[in-house]
Amino acid sequence: MFSKKKKNVTTNEFNQIVEGTSLTKEAWKRLKKNKMAILGLIVVIIYALIAICADMFPLYPYDEVVTEHQHLKPSFSKTSGELMLEKKMQDLYYNAWKQGRLVVGEENDAMIKNWIANDKTNKVWSYLLEAGEAQRAAGAFEWSKSDLSAIEKVEDKIQNDVMVTINGLYKNVNGKNTNLKKLNYNEIADIYASMLGLDRAVLDTSVEKELKMALVNEIKSKDSEISTEDATAQAEIDFANFSEKDFETKAKANVYGKIETQVKRDALKTVKANLKENPSQTFPYEEHQELSYGISADILATKTHDRRYYLGTDYLGRDMLSRIVYGSRVSIGIGLVGTITSILIGILVGSLAGYIGGRVDYYLMRFVDVMYGLPYMLLVIIMMAIFDRSIINLFIALALISWLTIARMVRGQIMSLKNQEYVEAARSMGASTARIITRHMIPNSLSIIIVYSTIRIPNFIMQESFLSFLGLGVQAPYASWGSLIGDAVSSMTLYPWKLIYPSLTMVIFLFAMNFLGDGLRDAFDPQSKNQL
């Protein structure tokens, strides 16, 4: 039998247990008393969980385009099909009013014309729909034959349009279904060649041409003034410099996309044929289909116009809720990565300058002063304009000069700590400079680093939003809060939800981060100990 060891406790002269304390514990006690900071912390945690677990939610793909669903307004009760029919009827009632078939009176005519002149088109559509439906119910208005034909077409689409999503493509290898994504290019190319009855050499030539054309388009997108001949010549050079891994990745993605498109077409034909035989088929439904060319697929069949868009759709018919949720990954990710990068650089430079001092401090701080004098946002814009507008380059550009302030703050903190007794003791025991900085100086500077981090995250998000607004940030099909706001500005009077929801999402997060940052700053301030 083993007896449990008693936990050693410290007592005072009155035999009362004395609990140890630390700056962190005291800071947490003060932070808990700040209700706005705690609320901000809860909001930040909720945002982070939603961004991390986005794939687990029943969201539509953020990059899926449904052209018939362009600019559908937010609704919790109506399906996309009902909203499509409503839009069509608004358009027909408006045309009927212009043609004089829908009569609303001189006073209302003047009101409608005033709305049109002041760009209040939504009021025009809503009013004419309400007036038209009221008159049609009272028997004072009837649809024309062309109107009825247009409405029937929309209703037929709503009833019969089906969408197929491919959730997985498989090939039977040694009795087991292997995902096509795990196969190499040669294996996938052989499958596609057999699907179309093509000679393998012809397919390889076609893939090579398409990869080169993609390079040409990429080069021309970076330099709009370059000629097609020069872009083609540059693409040939870039293609020749492809490594085996680069070619394998790009060629495999190209052919896999072709197979997926072909399978989707074939599966859609099968689903529609089954729907004709069984009109009572319920949607959505999933099934595993064995295809004739040696592969199988997991498909999800849904009625295209049974979707519900709780936050509306954008100009391509993409779900705004899905784009905002997935956009939070990019925006929050940029804030975190940018902040972590700037802090790591700032800690390295600031701690070396503060602890070593002398010439090292002088040269490092003069370099910081020179960098401070450069126009930060202009440098970021130039970098994004010159180099590829990828998310990685955006991280690098934003972190380029953002470490300057934290470097100065850490330097000042290190200079105030380096003559403390515990540092002198470590130095007298032979501890190296690196050990003293990493084990003693930086841990005792964590309070200002943590506070600075919470303040910098909103700044990075705002900077990314500004770049995306200018078209230099996150590129399609990816989205961020900034890019969503930039896309919505041009049509905010007609479709205000495209601007309101991403803006509101970003504002709530920024306020939460600022409340949390202010709370942490007050909590780690030793001068506030007397408030306990």
Side-chain angles (χ1 to χ4, degrees):
M1 295 289 292
F2 293 96
S3 60
K4 292 184 179 179
K5 289 185 178 180
K6 290 185 177 180
K7 186 178 180 181
N8 293 326
V9 295
T10 304
T11 58
N12 58 18
E13 63 269 25
F14 303 106
N15 204 31
Q16 295 173 327
I17 297 175
V18 178
E19 293 185 0
T21 187
S22 65
L23 176 61
T24 305
K25 287 183 179 179
E26 292 186 359
W28 174 240
K29 290 179 182 178
R30 284 190 288 272
L31 184 65
K32 287 192 292 186
K33 292 184 177 182
N34 190 328
K35 294 181 179 178
M36 294 306 295
I38 293 297
L39 178 62
L41 177 61
I42 293 171
V43 171
V44 169
I45 291 172
I46 291 172
Y47 268 74
L49 289 175
I50 291 174
I52 293 169
C53 303
D55 293 331
M56 301 171 62
F57 299 139
L59 298 171
Y60 302 120
Y62 69 93
D63 56 348
E64 188 171 58
V65 175
V66 185
T67 53
E68 293 92 346
H69 295 173
Q70 293 175 344
H71 300 307
L72 292 184
K73 66 182 181 181
S75 177
F76 283 87
S77 59
K78 295 180 180 179
T79 65
S80 55
E82 291 170 334
L83 293 173
M84 282 171 56
L85 185 59
E86 184 179 294
K87 276 184 68 176
K88 189 62 180 178
M89 292 174 70
Q90 285 177 341
D91 190 36
L92 293 175
Y93 278 127
Y94 176 72
N95 289 331
W97 172 76
K98 286 179 66 178
Q99 295 166 7
R101 293 188 292 115
L102 178 63
V103 180
V104 294
E106 292 184 5
E107 185 177 341
N108 291 329
D109 282 341
M111 178 181 66
I112 292 171
K113 290 176 181 177
N114 182 57
W115 282 341
I116 294 173
N118 289 294
D119 246 357
K120 297 179 179 179
T121 315
N122 284 328
K123 288 188 175 182
V124 176
W125 290 336
S126 299
Y127 175 79
L128 288 177
L129 176 63
E130 184 180 347
E133 288 292 279
Q135 290 190 26
R136 196 159 65 90
F141 176 83
E142 290 185 359
W143 294 118
S144 66
K145 287 184 178 180
S146 61
D147 291 342
L148 290 172
S149 176
I151 291 173
E152 286 175 2
K153 285 181 180 178
V154 174
E155 290 176 339
D156 183 65
K157 287 181 69 68
I158 293 170
Q159 185 65 30
N160 298 312
D161 279 5
V162 178
M163 178 176 288
V164 169
T165 303
I166 305 298
N167 292 327
L169 291 172
Y170 308 94
K171 180 176 175 60
N172 191 292
V173 179
N174 298 325
K176 293 183 179 180
N177 282 335
T178 303
N179 196 308
L180 260 61
K181 289 183 177 179
K182 296 182 179 179
L183 304 181
N184 59 41
Y185 166 69
N186 287 324
E187 292 171 320
I188 292 180
D190 287 338
I191 292 171
Y192 188 60
S194 65
M195 285 172 62
L196 300 184
L198 288 176
D199 182 70
R200 176 60 194 278
V202 174
L203 177 60
D204 289 340
T205 303
S206 175
V207 170
E208 184 176 319
K209 285 182 179 179
E210 289 180 9
L211 292 180
K212 289 179 180 177
M213 183 55 65
L215 287 173
V216 170
N217 293 333
E218 185 179 340
I219 292 167
K220 293 182 78 172
S221 67
K222 293 179 183 178
D223 185 1
S224 58
E225 297 181 359
I226 193 171
S227 65
T228 303
E229 292 78 11
D230 291 342
T232 302
Q234 182 62 47
E236 291 285 349
I237 296 172
D238 292 346
F239 184 81
N241 291 330
F242 270 179
S243 64
E244 287 187 13
K245 184 178 179 181
D246 289 337
F247 178 80
E248 170 76 16
T249 302
K250 293 180 181 295
K252 178 180 171 181
N254 179 283
V255 178
Y256 183 88
K258 292 176 183 293
I259 294 175
E260 189 175 46
T261 302
Q262 184 64 40
V263 169
K264 188 179 290 188
R265 288 174 184 165
D266 295 345
L268 184 58
K269 290 178 183 178
T270 304
V271 170
K272 286 186 174 181
N274 293 339
L275 184 61
K276 285 184 178 180
E277 295 177 3
N278 182 19
S280 60
Q281 172 68 57
T282 57
F283 289 88
Y285 73 88
E286 295 180 87
E287 70 174 359
H288 184 79
Q289 284 190 359
E290 294 291 338
L291 306 172
S292 58
Y293 19 81
I295 62 175
S296 58
D298 288 333
I299 70 161
L300 171 66
T302 58
K303 278 289 189 72
T304 306
H305 309 299
D306 279 352
R307 294 184 168 199
R308 294 182 186 273
Y309 297 113
Y310 301 116
L311 299 186
T313 61
D314 66 2
Y315 65 100
L316 290 176
R318 296 172 295 193
D319 181 24
M320 285 298 298
L321 174 60
S322 179
R323 291 184 69 73
I324 289 172
V325 170
Y326 281 95
S328 66
R329 281 185 171 181
V330 176
S331 294
I332 297 175
I334 286 174
L336 287 174
V337 173
T339 300
I340 291 171
T341 305
S342 64
I343 284 175
L344 291 177
I345 299 173
I347 288 175
L348 177 63
V349 174
S351 57
L352 289 175
Y355 184 77
I356 298 174
R359 289 187 177 181
V360 172
D361 179 35
Y362 177 81
Y363 287 122
L364 286 176
M365 287 302 102
R366 296 298 73 76
F367 177 72
V368 169
D369 291 339
V370 171
M371 295 296 284
Y372 254 123
L374 299 175
Y376 171 57
M377 191 51 69
L378 181 59
L379 283 177
V380 174
I381 291 172
I382 291 172
M383 278 193 66
M384 293 304 297
I386 293 175
F387 300 105
D388 185 24
R389 298 176 191 176
S390 65
I391 295 179
I392 299 299
N393 286 339
L394 183 60
F395 288 155
I396 295 172
L398 289 176
L400 184 66
I401 309 177
S402 56
W403 54 270
L404 301 177
T405 302
I406 189 63
R408 283 185 169 180
M409 293 172 65
V410 171
R411 171 182 176 267
Q413 186 76 1
I414 296 295
M415 290 179 71
S416 67
L417 294 174
K418 70 178 182 179
N419 293 321
Q420 295 289 325
E421 289 83 355
Y422 62 87
V423 177
E424 293 289 347
R427 191 183 296 119
S428 64
M429 294 177 67
S432 64
T433 299
R435 182 177 178 84
I436 292 173
I437 291 175
T438 56
R439 292 295 185 91
H440 300 287
M441 311 291 277
I442 293 178
N444 282 284
S445 304
L446 281 179
S447 59
I448 63 167
I449 294 171
I450 292 171
V451 173
Y452 178 80
S453 302
T454 58
I455 295 172
R456 284 303 300 168
I457 290 174
N459 288 340
F460 275 109
I461 293 175
M462 290 294 292
Q463 289 166 2
E464 181 277 326
S465 300
F466 174 69
L467 290 172
S468 294
F469 185 81
L470 296 179
L472 296 172
V474 177
Q475 302 299 306
Y478 301 107
S480 69
W481 294 334
S483 66
L484 292 174
I485 292 170
D487 292 341
V489 167
S490 60
S491 57
M492 62 183 178
T493 54
L494 287 176
Y495 315 109
W497 62 85
K498 297 198 302 179
L499 179 64
I500 291 171
Y501 292 121
S503 301
L504 189 62
T505 303
M506 185 171 75
V507 166
I508 291 172
F509 183 79
L510 295 181
F511 267 112
M513 285 301 305
N514 278 304
F515 287 141
L516 178 59
D518 289 342
L520 286 172
R521 181 186 58 200
D522 296 339
F524 279 104
D525 182 8
Q527 298 299 321
S528 62
K529 285 183 181 180
N530 55 7
Q531 296 176 11
L532 290 176

